[in-house]
């Protein structure tokens, strides 16, 4: 048998999902080999144009969010029109950090990730490597490559397929990609022009410039606008390029202003998902595992969340801090997320592009009534925007009856102060587990005593969040003290009493407890194999006597 490669993980596909996974693993000091069939990073095909703010938080952990946030178009208002009259103005609330949405091309995100990986000592990028064969062993995966200099075979402990909607590894593994491809065709053009529209999302039902169909526009950096048409039956875009009809199509939308086409593509939507996200030591992520319509921008965003979920689990297993069974939860958590995304996009597609006349009649009646009766607007589905999935049903989440409301959710943010300097709660998390205590100053000493075992554990990032009172706070060894002055925002963490949260490395809350629920929190940490049982009484006495300060 071919010996195992010294690098434990191979990633097939150097798109945003594969490179994000490699970068996250690099932060955990885990080596990866990334293979892609292309000769270099390429800008082609129907690509994502929006990254959700919570997904930028993932890239922030690897230092890749700043250039994306700086260059991208930030927006929080979505406009929905019927014909040429605005029906809905959806105002997403202001938020800390990166805001709700940032428009920027997938290609630019890939460039930033590639730059990171080129500097990382933990990753090697290999272009022009096509997988032509694969075999899955009990504890490894063997890959057969064809490349510019011939052929070679490698065996890795783990392989992750991030090779897109036409995944070679999915086909080689015999995984059925269940679902369907929507019959409607769509056209995307990226055009550079000075268009007199607010740089926000604009969606039209049955506009005068594209009657009977739908159209959406998204601004991009450098005065580029993405226009996405639902095409008429029989439309021939290749012919339109030559006979002038494409120019007419574009000018109907933007008016008689100068423009340049930067990129053009036609496509059909997929609604597909695989049955198993893990087969032996082979894993699937991103479009290789689930393919979604672009409405709501779930494709790339959910793929990067796949990578985030898998990276920390690989880190714990490969470092010997968790058993291999932890990796099974990648399938259960992320397939549930994919199914939720499919449910939402299916509802949107049935409203936006109904294929049955009864459904279309109902949709049209809702749109017409919404102009007369504002209450009908709630039935208009123009695409629910992407947001992180809540792992409420996961075995790794303590969401027992009566638990606090944050369990399973991606942790909300909060403005905090560290050494009197402004920061954010999310910025105080780490690549490891975090435990955050929300207590008052007069509860601090008792909390430290009750949770001494947790605080002494070097695998855990301990934070204590205190309201600002102007009183001096002593430094405590092994504990990061953060303070806040927004009492209203802090209520989502505290509710009616002091609480503590156990937060996973992917930013999801594993458990949210009242301060008196000691055993539940300790039990959850034991399930994650994070506690080495020591004498709580001894450590508690040491804290009371001032030895651990």
């Amino acid at each position: 048998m071919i010996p195992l490669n010294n690098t434990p993980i191979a990633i097939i596909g150097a798109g945003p999902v594969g490179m994000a996974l490699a970068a996250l693993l690099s932060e955990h000091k885990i080596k990866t080999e990334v293979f892609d069939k292309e000769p270099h990073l390429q800008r082609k095909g129907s690509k994502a144009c929006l990254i959700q703010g919570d997904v930028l938080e993932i890239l922030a952990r690897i230092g890749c969010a700043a250039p994306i946030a700086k260059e991208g178009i930030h927006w929080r208002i979505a406009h929905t029109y019927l014909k040429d009259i605005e029906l809905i103005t959806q105002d997403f609330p202001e938020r800390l950090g990166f805001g709700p949405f940032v428009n920027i091309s997938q290609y630019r995100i890939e460039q930033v990730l590639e730059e990171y990986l080129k500097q990382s000592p933990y990753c090697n990028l290999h272009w022009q490597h096509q997988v032509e064969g694969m075999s899955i062993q009990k504890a490894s995966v063997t890959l057969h490559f064809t490349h510019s200099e011939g052929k070679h075979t490698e065996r890795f402990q783990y392989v992750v397929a991030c090779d897109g909607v036409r995944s070679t590894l999915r086909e080689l593994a015999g995984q059925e990609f269940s679902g369907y491809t929507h019959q409607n065709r769509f056209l995307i053009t990226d055009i550079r022009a000075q268009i007199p529209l607010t740089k926000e999302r604009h969606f039209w039902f049955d506009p005068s410039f594209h009657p009977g169909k739908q159209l959406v526009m998204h601004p991009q950096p450098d005065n580029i606008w993405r226009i996405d048409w639902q095409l008429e039956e029989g439309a021939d875009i290749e012919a339109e390029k030559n006979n002038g009809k494409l120019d007419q199509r574009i000018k109907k939308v933007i008016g008689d202003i100068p423009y340049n086409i930067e990129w053009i593509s036609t496509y059909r939507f997929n609604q597909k998902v695989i049955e198993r996200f893990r087969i032996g030591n082979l894993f699937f992520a991103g479009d290789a595992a689930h393919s979604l319509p672009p409405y709501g921008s779930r494709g790339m965003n959910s793929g990067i969340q796949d990578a985030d979920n898998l990276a920390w689990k690989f880190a714990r297993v490969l470092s010997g801090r968790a058993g291999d069974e932890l990796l099974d939860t990648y399938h259960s958590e992320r397939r549930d997320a994919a199914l939720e995304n499919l449910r939402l996009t299916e509802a949107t597609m049935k409203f936006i592009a109904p294929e049955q006349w009864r459904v279309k009649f109902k949709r049209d009646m809702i749109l017409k009534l919404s102009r007369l009766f504002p209450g009908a607007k709630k039935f208009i589905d123009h695409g629910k925007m992407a947001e992180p999935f809540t792992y409420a049903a996961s075995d790794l989440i303590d969401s027992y009856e009566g638990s606090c409301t944050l369990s399973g959710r991606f942790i909300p943010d909060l403005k905090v102060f560290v050494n009197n300097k402004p920061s954010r709660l999310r910025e105080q998390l780490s690549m490891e587990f975090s435990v955050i205590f929300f207590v008052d100053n007069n509860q601090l000493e008792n909390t430290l005593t009750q949770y001494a075992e947790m605080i002494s554990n070097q695998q855990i990032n301990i934070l204590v969040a205190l309201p600002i009172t102007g009183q001096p706070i002593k430094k405590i060894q092994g504990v990061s003290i953060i303070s806040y002055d927004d009492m209203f925002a802090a209520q989502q963490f505290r509710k009616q009493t002091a609480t503590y949260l156990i937060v996973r490395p992917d930013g999801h809350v594993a458990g949210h407890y009242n301060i008196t629920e000691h055993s539940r929190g300790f039990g959850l940490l034991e399930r994650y194999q994070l506690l080495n049982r020591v004498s709580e009484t001894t450590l508690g006495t040491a804290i009371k006597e001032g030895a651990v300060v």
Side-chain angles (χ1 to χ4, degrees):
M1 181 180 285
I2 297 170
L4 271 174
N5 194 299
N6 290 331
T7 299
I9 300 174
I11 299 170
I12 310 304
V17 178
M19 288 197 287
L21 176 58
L24 288 162
L25 289 168
S26 291
E27 288 295 313
H28 286 288
K29 298 182 170 51
I30 293 175
K31 292 183 177 180
T32 59
E33 304 283 343
V34 179
F35 300 92
D36 197 281
K37 64 183 179 181
E38 300 293 348
H40 51 77
L41 189 62
Q42 296 197 348
R43 183 178 185 176
K44 67 175 188 177
S46 295
K47 301 292 186 180
C49 69
L50 179 155
I51 189 163
Q52 199 253 352
D54 294 319
V55 178
L56 266 179
E57 297 283 3
I58 297 171
L59 301 188
R61 294 189 220 124
I62 53 178
C64 291
I68 296 168
K70 182 178 179 180
E71 297 173 28
I73 302 292
H74 295 247
W75 64 273
R76 62 180 187 84
I77 298 177
H79 305 270
T80 301
Y81 309 85
L82 174 59
K83 296 189 180 295
D84 299 326
I85 299 173
E86 186 163 359
L87 282 180
I88 301 171
T89 304
Q90 188 173 5
D91 192 342
F92 295 91
E94 294 241 22
R95 49 190 283 181
L96 295 171
F98 301 104
F101 311 108
V102 177
N103 281 11
I104 194 168
S105 73
Q106 176 178 320
Y107 176 66
R108 181 61 186 126
I109 294 171
E110 291 170 343
Q111 283 184 316
V112 172
L113 289 168
E114 184 186 32
E115 290 164 9
Y116 171 94
L117 293 179
K118 284 180 176 178
Q119 302 299 317
S120 171
Y122 297 101
C123 178
N124 292 315
L125 270 168
H126 305 277
W127 299 102
Q128 288 185 291
H129 278 67
Q130 173 70 54
V131 177
E132 63 172 18
M134 176 181 67
S135 57
I136 303 173
Q137 292 82 44
K138 185 177 180 180
S140 63
V141 179
T142 300
L143 299 173
H144 305 282
F145 293 99
T146 299
H147 56 98
S148 57
E149 298 179 2
K151 298 182 178 182
H152 74 280
T153 299
E154 300 277 359
R155 187 164 70 96
F156 295 90
Q157 186 175 354
Y158 298 103
V159 171
V160 186
C162 303
D163 51 343
V165 68
R166 296 179 180 87
S167 170
T168 298
L169 268 65
R170 187 181 63 234
E171 183 178 343
L172 290 171
Q175 278 263 48
E176 182 181 356
F177 208 21
S178 59
Y180 69 93
T181 300
H182 203 275
Q183 292 306 304
N184 279 272
R185 290 173 64 239
F186 292 80
L187 165 69
I188 285 179
T189 60
D190 285 354
I191 65 169
R192 189 186 302 273
Q194 295 280 357
I195 298 176
L197 276 176
T198 56
K199 290 192 173 181
E200 295 155 344
R201 194 200 77 156
H202 298 269
F203 184 99
W204 284 267
F205 289 102
D206 189 24
S208 60
F209 46 78
H210 192 47
K213 301 296 180 181
Q214 285 71 54
L215 184 142
V216 63
M217 293 179 66
H218 269 281
Q220 300 291 295
D222 302 321
N223 289 318
I224 292 175
W225 284 83
R226 172 161 296 189
I227 309 176
D228 192 339
W229 284 268
Q230 179 190 5
L231 285 175
E232 311 87 346
E233 187 175 348
D236 186 343
I237 299 304
E238 288 303 314
E240 288 189 16
K241 291 178 184 178
N242 298 318
N243 62 24
K245 288 187 176 179
L246 179 61
D247 177 63
Q248 295 173 24
R249 180 188 291 275
I250 292 171
K251 285 185 174 179
K252 283 181 181 178
V253 178
I254 68 172
D256 192 16
I257 60 175
Y259 72 90
N260 291 313
I261 296 177
E262 299 289 319
W263 176 62
I264 186 168
S265 175
T266 59
Y267 66 98
R268 284 187 171 92
F269 295 155
N270 286 314
Q271 280 276 99
K272 295 184 177 182
V273 66
I274 57 176
E275 186 63 31
R276 297 294 306 173
F277 280 38
R278 178 185 188 182
I279 301 176
N281 279 8
L282 172 66
F283 297 79
F284 295 87
D287 285 350
H290 45 79
S291 182
L292 306 160
Y295 290 105
S297 298
R298 287 179 162 74
M300 178 184 66
N301 286 287
S302 64
I304 293 174
Q305 289 163 339
D306 290 345
D308 194 26
N309 186 285
L310 189 54
W312 71 267
K313 294 174 181 178
F314 269 142
R316 295 198 65 77
V317 170
L318 287 169
S319 65
R321 293 179 292 169
D324 181 79
E325 64 275 4
L326 178 63
L327 294 171
D328 289 334
T329 66
Y330 167 71
H331 161 78
S332 58
E333 291 187 341
R334 291 312 299 165
R335 192 167 191 274
D336 281 353
L339 292 175
E340 173 69 1
N341 281 328
L342 286 166
R343 182 186 67 80
L344 292 168
T345 52
E346 177 72 10
T348 299
M349 285 308 303
K350 284 183 176 179
F351 195 90
I352 288 174
E355 293 185 324
Q356 297 178 350
W357 72 267
R358 291 183 180 86
V359 179
K360 185 176 185 303
F361 177 79
K362 180 181 177 182
R363 189 278 306 269
D364 291 346
M365 288 302 296
I366 290 172
L367 290 173
K368 289 176 182 178
L369 286 170
S370 66
R371 297 176 64 173
L372 300 173
F373 305 102
K377 293 179 182 180
K378 66 182 179 181
F379 299 107
I380 297 176
D381 189 340
H382 51 89
K384 180 176 168 59
M385 297 304 296
E387 57 187 25
F389 182 67
T390 298
Y391 300 124
S394 172
D395 291 339
L396 294 180
I397 301 297
D398 200 354
S399 54
Y400 60 98
E401 185 177 353
S403 65
C404 294
T405 58
L406 295 181
S407 293
R409 287 178 53 193
F410 194 71
I411 187 169
D413 212 352
L414 178 69
K415 183 180 179 181
V416 298
F417 298 87
V418 181
N419 297 323
N420 295 319
K421 294 181 180 178
S423 182
R424 296 186 293 118
L425 179 61
R426 287 178 175 177
E427 290 179 329
Q428 302 307 309
L429 303 178
S430 75
M431 298 294 286
E432 299 295 336
F433 277 75
S434 298
V435 176
I436 311 171
F437 295 94
F438 276 84
V439 296
D440 293 326
N441 285 275
N442 58 11
Q443 298 168 310
L444 180 58
E445 185 174 296
N446 284 339
T447 299
L448 296 176
T449 302
Q450 292 168 345
Y451 289 89
E453 180 178 1
M454 213 179 266
I455 293 167
S456 68
N457 193 319
Q458 307 212 344
Q459 294 187 66
I460 303 173
N461 173 37
I462 301 293
L463 301 168
V464 173
L466 301 170
I468 292 177
T469 62
Q471 300 174 358
I473 302 171
K474 67 179 181 180
K475 292 184 178 180
I476 303 165
Q477 184 177 329
V479 175
S480 297
I481 301 292
I482 58 178
S483 54
Y484 59 88
D485 58 4
D486 190 337
M487 305 303 174
F488 178 78
Q491 288 307 307
Q492 62 189 317
F493 302 98
R494 293 199 51 160
K495 297 299 177 185
Q496 300 302 315
T497 184
T499 58
Y500 67 101
L501 300 83
I502 298 174
V503 185
R504 307 189 324 182
D506 60 4
H508 283 262
V509 178
H512 186 199
Y513 308 100
N514 292 328
I515 204 71
T516 55
E517 296 178 295
H518 311 132
S519 59
R520 293 206 70 96
F522 282 115
L524 182 64
L525 290 173
E526 285 181 322
R527 273 160 54 195
Y528 278 103
Q529 300 179 10
L530 279 161
L531 277 182
N532 299 317
R533 305 300 292 182
V534 295
S535 171
E536 181 179 345
T537 304
T538 303
L539 284 169
T541 302
I543 288 174
K544 273 191 170 183
E545 293 176 352
V548 187
V549 293

